[in-house]
C-alpha cells in the first residue's frame, strides 16, 4: 500500500513539474523574442474615421517563459494609435508573460484628427518592448487624408465638387430633380458600406485622360482594393436627364450603374465613355426599360452580368470591351443580357445597337438577346467580336475567335499583335458622337478606320 502511495505521489509530482516547466522565466539577456512583422503600415486613413485593426504576434521561441517588463506606446496619450494586449486596451502594459514556445497577439488601431492639409500626410509612432535588459521596437506608420464627409445629403441646386479632398458618402447623397452635380477631373467619390448616389437630376462627371474620376468604396486598405460589394452604386431615376460620366473608374459596388427608365427628352439619359467598370458583386450596368449610351468603356469582373437590360429600352453601345473574366466569382450568366420583357405584363420594344465591341469571356455564350413580347424591337449587331453559341451573328461579326488580351489577370485588356480584332471596325466617322467620344480611344489614341474593335486602338 505504501509503495502504491509513493508511486501515486511520484506521478503527481512529475505531472506538476511538467505543467510548470513552461512557467519558469528566463532572464538570460541572450533570450530573444520574435515578431510576425518588423513594422506596421496603415494605408490611407480618413481623418476621424479610424481604420481596421492591424494585428501582429510576439513569439517566444525559447523553452522557458519570458517576462516583458513593459510594452509601451511611444507617443503616449498624444499618439493617434492605440494598442490592445491580451484583450485590454491601453498605452502602457507591465509584466506580460509569454510562455515558452508560445505567442501573444497585439492589435493596433489608428484614428487621425482633421487638419488643414489637402494632400495625404504621414503619421508615425512606435511600440517599445522592454525585457531582460533589452529594448525592441515596432515602427507604426499611417497615411492620413482629410476628407469631406456627407451623410443623407440632398443636392437641391447646381453644385460643383472639386478634387482638393475626397468625398466620403454615408448612407446616400441625392441629386434633386432640377439640380445638376458637376464633378471636376481628379475627384474621388468614396462610399461607406451600403451607401448610394441617387441621381434624379443631372450628373456631369467628366474627368480627363490624366485626371480621371473615381467612384469606389471608402476602404482603401490593400485587402479591400479590389473587393466587390462595398457600396450600392449609382442609381439614375426616371426624372434624371442629360447625365455624362467620362474618364472615370467605377468599382467595388453591388451594382455599378442602375438606370430604371427611358430618356425623358431627345438626349440619352446617360452617356458613359472612357470608363472602367469592374469588381461588381452582381452587375456592372443594370437597366429596366432604360436608355444607355456607351463608348470606349471597359467592363470586367462582375459577379453575374456585365450589362443586364430588361423591359426593352434604347441601348447604343460602340467600341466597348466587355471582358467577362471572373477571377472572384463562379459566374453562370451571360456577359451581356438584353430582353424586351420583365414579366408577362411588363414589356416594351428593345432598340439595341452593338457596333465594334469585344464581347468575350470564359463561358461559351456571352451574348443573349430576347425579343418575345414586342413586335417593334430592332437590333443592329455589326462589327463585333462575339463569343456565342448562336449562328445568327455571323454577318460582319467575328465569332468565337480569341481576342488575345495581353493580360486579363492584371486588368490589361489591350490586345496582342496577332489579335483578330485589329482593323476590323465599321467606319463610325458619321456617327453623331464621333468627335466627342469615338474619335479617340480610351487612352486618347486617335482612332483610324477601319478601327480596332473594343475600347483600345493599337496603332
Amino acid at each position: 500500500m505504501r509503495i502504491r502511495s509513493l508511486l501515486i505521489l511520484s506521478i503527481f509530482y512529475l505531472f506538476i513539474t511538467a505543467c510548470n516547466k513552461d512557467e519558469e522565466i528566463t532572464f538570460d539577456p541572450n533570450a530573444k523574442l520574435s515578431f510576425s512583422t518588423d513594422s506596421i503600415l496603415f494605408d490611407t486613413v480618413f481623418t476621424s474615421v479610424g481604420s481596421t485593426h492591424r494585428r501582429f504576434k510576439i513569439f517566444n521561441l525559447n523553452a522557458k517563459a519570458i517576462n516583458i517588463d513593459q510594452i509601451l506606446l511611444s507617443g503616449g496619450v498624444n499618439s493617434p494609435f492605440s494598442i490592445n494586449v491580451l484583450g485590454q486596451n491601453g498605452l502602457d502594459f507591465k509584466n506580460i508573460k509569454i510562455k515558452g514556445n508560445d505567442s501573444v497577439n497585439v492589435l493596433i488601431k489608428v484614428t487621425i484628427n482633421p487638419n488643414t492639409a489637402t494632400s495625404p500626410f504621414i503619421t508615425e509612432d512606435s511600440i517599445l518592448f522592454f525585457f531582460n535588459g533589452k529594448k525592441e521596437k515596432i515602427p507604426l506608420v499611417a497615411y492620413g487624408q482629410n476628407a469631406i464627409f456627407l451623410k443623407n445629403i440632398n443636392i437641391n441646386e447646381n453644385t460643383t465638387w472639386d478634387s482638393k479632398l475626397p468625398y466620403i458618402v454615408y448612407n446616400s447623397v441625392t441629386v434633386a430633380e432640377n439640380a445638376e452635380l458637376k464633378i471636376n477631373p481628379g475627384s474621388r467619390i468614396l462610399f461607406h458600406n451600403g451607401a448610394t448616389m441617387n441621381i434624379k437630376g443631372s450628373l456631369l462627371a467628366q474627368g480627363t485622360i490624366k485626371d480621371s474620376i473615381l467612384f469606389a468604396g471608402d476602404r482603401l486598405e490593400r485587402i479591400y482594393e479590389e473587393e466587390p460589394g462595398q457600396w450600392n452604386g449609382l442609381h439614375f431615376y426616371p426624372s434624371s436627364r442629360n447625365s455624362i460620366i467620362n474618364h472615370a473608374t467605377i468599382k467595388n459596388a453591388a451594382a455599378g450603374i442602375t438606370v430604371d427608365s427611358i430618356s425623358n427628352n431627345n438626349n440619352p439619359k446617360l452617356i458613359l465613355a472612357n470608363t472602367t467598370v469592374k469588381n461588381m458583386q452582381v452587375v456592372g450596368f443594370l437597366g429596366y426599360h432604360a436608355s444607355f449610351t456607351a463608348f470606349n468603356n471597359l467592363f470586367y469582373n462582375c459577379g453575374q452580368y456585365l450589362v443586364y437590360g430588361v423591359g426593352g429600352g434604347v441601348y447604343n453601345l460602340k467600341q466597348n470591351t466587355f471582358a467577362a473574366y471572373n477571377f472572384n466569382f463562379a459566374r453562370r450568366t451571360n456577359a451581356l443580357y438584353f430582353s424586351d420583357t420583365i414579366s408577362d405584363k411588363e414589356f416594351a420594344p428593345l432598340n439595341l445597337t452593338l457596333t465594334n465591341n469585344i464581347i468575350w469571356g470564359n463561358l461559351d455564350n456571352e451574348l443573349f438577346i430576347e425579343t418575345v413580347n414586342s413586335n417593334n424591337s430592332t437590333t443592329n449587331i455589326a462589327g463585333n467580336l462575339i463569343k456565342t453559341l448562336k449562328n445568327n451573328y455571323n454577318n460582319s461579326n467575328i465569332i468565337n475567335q480569341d481576342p488575345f488580351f495581353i493580360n486579363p489577370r492584371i486588368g490589361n485588356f489591350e490586345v496582342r499583335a496577332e489579335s483578330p480584332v485589329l482593323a476590323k471596325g465599321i467606319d463610325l466617322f458619321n456617327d453623331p458622337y464621333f468627335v466627342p467620344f469615338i474619335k479617340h480611344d480610351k487612352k486618347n489614341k486617335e482612332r483610324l478606320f477601319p478601327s480596332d474593335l473594343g475600347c483600345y486602338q493599337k496603332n
Side-chain angles (χ1 to χ4, degrees):
M1 185 71 176
R2 182 180 177 187
I3 294 174
R4 182 180 178 185
S5 298
L6 289 173
L7 181 61
I8 292 172
L9 286 173
S10 297
I11 293 172
F12 180 74
Y13 175 77
L14 290 172
F15 176 78
I16 294 297
T17 302
C19 289
N20 289 329
K21 184 178 181 181
D22 286 344
E23 297 295 333
E24 184 179 352
I25 296 174
T26 178
F27 297 97
D28 184 348
N30 293 318
K32 296 180 180 180
L33 291 175
S34 301
F35 301 91
S36 59
T37 182
D38 58 4
S39 63
I40 301 294
L41 172 65
F42 290 81
D43 297 315
T44 302
V45 179
F46 294 111
T47 55
S48 301
V49 173
S51 175
T52 57
H53 290 86
R54 293 286 186 271
R55 180 194 302 267
F56 72 93
K57 282 181 175 288
I58 310 170
F59 295 99
N60 176 17
L61 302 179
N62 302 279
K64 297 180 180 180
I66 288 181
N67 187 72
I68 304 177
D69 302 311
Q70 187 178 27
I71 299 177
L72 176 67
L73 191 60
S74 181
V77 295
N78 296 318
S79 177
F81 298 91
S82 61
I83 55 177
N84 181 298
V85 180
L86 296 175
Q88 298 295 317
N89 294 316
L91 305 173
D92 189 351
F93 299 84
K94 300 285 199 313
N95 297 320
I96 303 298
K97 184 192 294 183
I98 307 180
K99 295 179 181 180
N101 295 309
D102 204 351
S103 63
V104 167
N105 285 315
V106 179
L107 302 178
I108 311 99
K109 184 181 179 181
V110 62
T111 302
I112 299 178
N113 292 322
N115 59 29
T116 58
T118 57
S119 298
F121 50 89
I122 296 176
T123 298
E124 298 179 277
D125 203 347
S126 60
I127 303 176
L128 304 178
F129 303 86
F130 299 91
F131 63 97
N132 292 4
K134 296 189 296 185
K135 181 175 77 171
E136 297 280 357
K137 181 171 74 171
I138 298 290
L140 307 175
V141 180
Y143 293 95
Q145 171 72 75
N146 291 299
I148 298 169
F149 298 93
L150 306 170
K151 183 175 182 179
N152 294 329
I153 295 297
N154 291 309
I155 298 174
N156 296 312
E157 58 185 19
N158 292 351
T159 301
T160 298
W161 289 357
D162 61 34
S163 61
K164 293 179 182 178
L165 293 173
Y167 294 80
I168 313 296
V169 177
Y170 284 77
N171 294 352
S172 68
V173 59
T174 299
V175 182
E177 182 172 344
N178 295 313
E180 176 187 281
L181 173 60
K182 181 180 179 182
I183 300 178
N184 283 347
S187 297
R188 289 164 292 163
I189 318 302
L190 307 177
F191 296 81
H192 199 61
N193 183 40
T196 309
M197 176 177 281
N198 302 310
I199 301 96
K200 298 180 180 179
S202 300
L203 174 66
L204 297 180
Q206 300 207 63
T208 66
I209 188 67
K210 292 183 179 179
D211 291 304
S212 65
I213 295 169
L214 176 64
F215 297 90
D218 68 346
R219 301 297 296 272
L220 302 188
E221 301 95 323
R222 285 193 187 93
I223 60 173
Y224 292 99
E225 187 175 6
E226 305 296 333
E227 185 69 21
Q230 297 180 45
W231 56 293
N232 285 346
L234 310 176
H235 190 152
F236 293 82
Y237 282 79
S239 59
S240 68
R241 64 197 182 280
N242 304 339
S243 291
I244 299 174
I245 301 174
N246 190 16
H247 287 296
T249 295
I250 306 171
K251 69 175 188 174
N252 302 351
I257 300 169
T258 299
V259 176
D260 63 10
S261 52
I262 205 77
S263 181
N264 52 19
N265 57 30
N266 292 326
N267 299 322
K269 180 177 284 288
L270 169 65
I271 295 176
L272 183 74
N274 301 300
T275 291
T276 297
V277 179
K278 65 177 182 175
N279 303 340
M280 301 303 166
Q281 189 174 42
V282 181
V283 60
F285 175 89
L286 176 60
Y288 297 100
H289 188 53
S291 170
F292 183 43
T293 300
F295 310 113
N296 285 339
N297 301 293
L298 171 62
F299 282 71
Y300 72 98
N301 197 35
C302 297
Q304 295 185 32
Y305 303 93
L306 299 182
V307 176
Y308 181 85
V310 294
V314 179
Y315 293 86
N316 181 13
L317 312 180
K318 295 171 181 172
Q319 297 285 174
N320 301 284
T321 297
F322 299 105
Y325 289 86
N326 292 69
F327 303 117
N328 299 332
F329 309 98
R331 179 179 58 93
R332 295 182 182 141
T333 48
N334 314 98
L336 273 61
Y337 182 103
F338 301 97
S339 176
D340 62 351
T341 301
I342 297 177
S343 68
D344 290 341
K345 296 181 180 179
E346 295 179 277
F347 53 87
L350 173 65
N351 185 340
L352 172 64
T353 299
L354 292 173
T355 308
N356 293 359
N357 303 286
I358 297 174
I359 304 169
W360 191 257
N362 49 21
L363 299 184
D364 291 332
N365 194 39
E366 295 292 9
L367 175 62
F368 182 89
I369 303 171
E370 177 185 59
T371 55
V372 295
N373 287 309
S374 174
N375 295 324
N376 297 317
S377 294
T378 61
T379 58
N380 182 6
I381 317 299
N384 307 279
L385 183 147
I386 307 172
K387 191 174 184 184
T388 180
L389 295 175
K390 304 288 184 180
N391 57 11
N392 56 342
Y393 301 133
N394 292 322
N395 184 25
S396 79
N397 294 289
I398 301 171
I399 302 301
N400 296 331
Q401 293 188 40
D402 193 323
F404 293 118
F405 295 125
I406 289 177
N407 195 337
R409 181 62 72 170
I410 63 171
N412 186 344
F413 292 97
E414 296 183 63
V415 297
R416 303 201 294 263
E418 66 269 29
S419 174
V421 308
L422 301 181
K424 297 295 174 60
I426 292 173
D427 193 336
L428 297 176
F429 183 80
N430 293 320
D431 191 286
Y433 295 100
F434 177 77
V435 172
F437 299 116
I438 301 174
K439 185 177 180 180
H440 295 88
D441 79 344
K442 193 173 186 293
K443 288 191 169 183
N444 207 36
K445 288 184 181 178
E446 186 173 3
R447 182 167 274 129
L448 304 175
F449 289 96
S451 66
D452 301 341
L453 308 187
C455 62
Y456 298 113
Q457 183 75 17
K458 197 164 184 65
N459 61 283

